[in-house]
Amino acid sequence: MTPVIDRIFRSFITQGRLDIVFSDGSRRTYVGTPGPVAAMRILAPSVERRLIANPGLAFGEAYMDGLVEPVGCTLYDLLDLLMTNSMNAGHIGEAVAAVIRYGKRTWTQFNPAWRSRRNVAHHYDLNGALYDLFLDSDRQYSCAYFPRGDETLEEAQVAKKRHIAAKLRLDRPDLEVLDIGSGWGGMALTLAREYGARVTGITLSEEQLAVSRRRAMEEGLADRVRFELVDYRDVTRRFDRIVSVGMFEHVGVGHYRQFFDLVRTILAPDGVMLLHSIGRNDGPGSTNPWIDRYIFPGGYSPALSETFAAIETAGLWVTDCEILRLHYAQTIAHWRERFAANRHRVAALYDERFCRMFEFYLAGAELSFRVQGHLNFQLQITRSIDAVPLTRDYMFEVEREAAAPPGRRGLARKARTSG
């Protein structure tokens, strides 16, 4: 242990208690105000040097390589302590690195079509069996919705789709819907099967495209749902409705105006869009360098201020905004539990280093919502001031109807329309 790394940790730990066994066998305890408690062992001097200058990248890489180990606690416990303290700006090396990252973000989030395809392939074209091991049966890889708080993952993902569908105001059959970033097809298939929409889903993932098309055929919905390998910038046809779930995080701040200008062009004059995205509560920032390198290259969780500015410039209306605070934390907690239960299967698909990478990703992602101000937002967007009713009551009515037992849905619909 060097005096420099000792001073770094003494300045950094302002909440909770961290015990460290350094690579030379020396032990130190760092204590702040009451908070989380954890301990770790560092197994190489090179890790200590790298933790001084760029801890946001170095710590994750060291864990992947087995050079940092939690001691007497879980990885989640250790990250809880470290991520809580990272909000207090006590690490000078990280503070400098964050300024540099922010200055470079125009480049790191420069996502023309060719780069977007490469970034998407990095994460979404992994072995499809991986996602079956921790996602729900519909492979919804985005924030679920927990209206009660005690739903199963499957129930919460169904509730999420109903929540979004209600905001799309699918008030008549055969509406033409564009699903930007359609994933494995679950949202598009739901809108066609349960709401009578005709849906075009677009993705840049060849793996997701193949699965989506197969699902549409198996469910007998190929005449109502089609999936294409298309960049959103290449869409020219007009749609009655647009939905985008978990894709806006991959657009890049330099492309927001382009994205919403396109929405205005392809959305019908009386059309409705629902945008569902991860966001941040603390204003514009930059992406953690470990996440950018290993999980979502080119990705970024936007501040609402950045998003609203681009929407306003495009001449669109935000007719509804909802902030989902801890829903994604609960979602990822389910994913972590399922991943842990199937870890041996993941190791058979990949290797131990991949397992450690994914564990680090899931634990850090959950904690970003619990202690670092991340959130999900849903924006209902229109071109026209009167495209949706004056109040939000219709959303709740449609959502309750969709959640009713099959035999009562017609009664609920009749009561709603007769009123």
Side-chain angles (χ1 to χ4, degrees), residues 42 53 164 294 296 312:
I42 301 174
I164 289 172
Y294 291 98
F296 295 119
E312 292 165 359

Side-chain angles (χ1 to χ4, degrees), residues 127-139 154 184 207 211 214 338 342 345-346 349:
N127 190 320
L130 167 68
Y131 296 100
D132 289 329
L133 295 176
F134 71 95
L135 298 181
D136 67 301
S137 57
D138 196 39
R139 282 200 192 176
E154 274 71 20
W184 290 280
E207 171 75 16
V211 172
R214 185 180 72 244
R338 293 182 178 206
N342 290 293
R345 294 192 174 105
V346 178
L349 290 173

Side-chain angles (χ1 to χ4, degrees), residues 197-375:
R198 295 188 177 276
V199 189
T200 299
I202 60 172
T203 179
L204 294 178
S205 166
E206 294 186 4
E207 171 75 16
Q208 290 182 334
L209 178 69
V211 172
S212 299
R213 286 178 169 173
R214 185 180 72 244
R215 292 183 66 187
M217 291 292 293
E218 291 173 349
E219 294 192 31
L221 291 170
D223 61 328
R224 302 195 68 85
V225 185
R226 65 189 185 95
F227 296 99
E228 304 292 342
L229 196 69
V230 173
D231 187 276
Y232 71 91
R233 285 161 283 212
D234 295 327
V235 176
T236 57
R237 187 160 67 87
R238 180 162 284 184
F239 291 87
D240 301 304
R241 303 288 187 266
I242 300 174
V243 63
S244 184
V245 180
M247 177 270 178
F248 191 63
E249 301 92 320
H250 304 284
V251 169
V253 288
H255 302 274
Y256 290 171
R257 173 66 187 273
Q258 183 182 24
F259 181 87
F260 289 113
D261 280 348
L262 175 77
V263 168
R264 180 172 178 81
T265 298
I266 66 174
L267 184 63
D270 62 347
V272 178
M273 178 188 190
L274 192 286
L275 179 68
H276 171 115
S277 173
I278 300 172
R280 59 182 67 228
N281 190 48
D282 57 351
S286 60
T287 301
N288 173 276
W290 186 87
I291 290 289
D292 183 67
R293 177 173 293 184
Y294 291 98
I295 307 298
F296 295 119
Y300 171 67
S301 300
L304 276 172
S305 56
E306 297 171 294
T307 309
F308 270 78
I311 293 171
E312 292 165 359
T313 305
L316 294 163
W317 281 88
V318 175
T319 47
D320 190 79
C321 173
E322 181 176 9
I323 305 301
L324 305 178
R325 289 161 290 117
L326 290 171
H327 291 258
Y328 214 165
Q330 289 186 237
T331 304
I332 301 171
H334 281 283
W335 293 349
R336 287 199 307 114
E337 182 180 357
R338 293 182 178 206
F339 186 92
N342 290 293
R343 193 184 192 280
H344 61 291
R345 294 192 174 105
V346 178
L349 290 173
Y350 289 97
D351 56 24
E352 175 64 20
R353 190 172 189 268
F354 182 92
C355 288
R356 294 170 73 89
M357 178 189 77
F358 230 80
E359 287 168 337
F360 192 88
Y361 152 54
L362 291 175
E366 180 182 336
L367 285 163
S368 71
F369 290 90
R370 296 197 185 276
V371 303
Q372 290 194 322
H374 273 53
L375 51 86

Side-chain angles (χ1 to χ4, degrees), residues 13-17 31-36 85 88:
I13 301 299
T14 59
Q15 288 182 258
R17 167 177 167 157
V31 182
T33 60
N85 280 275
N88 300 322

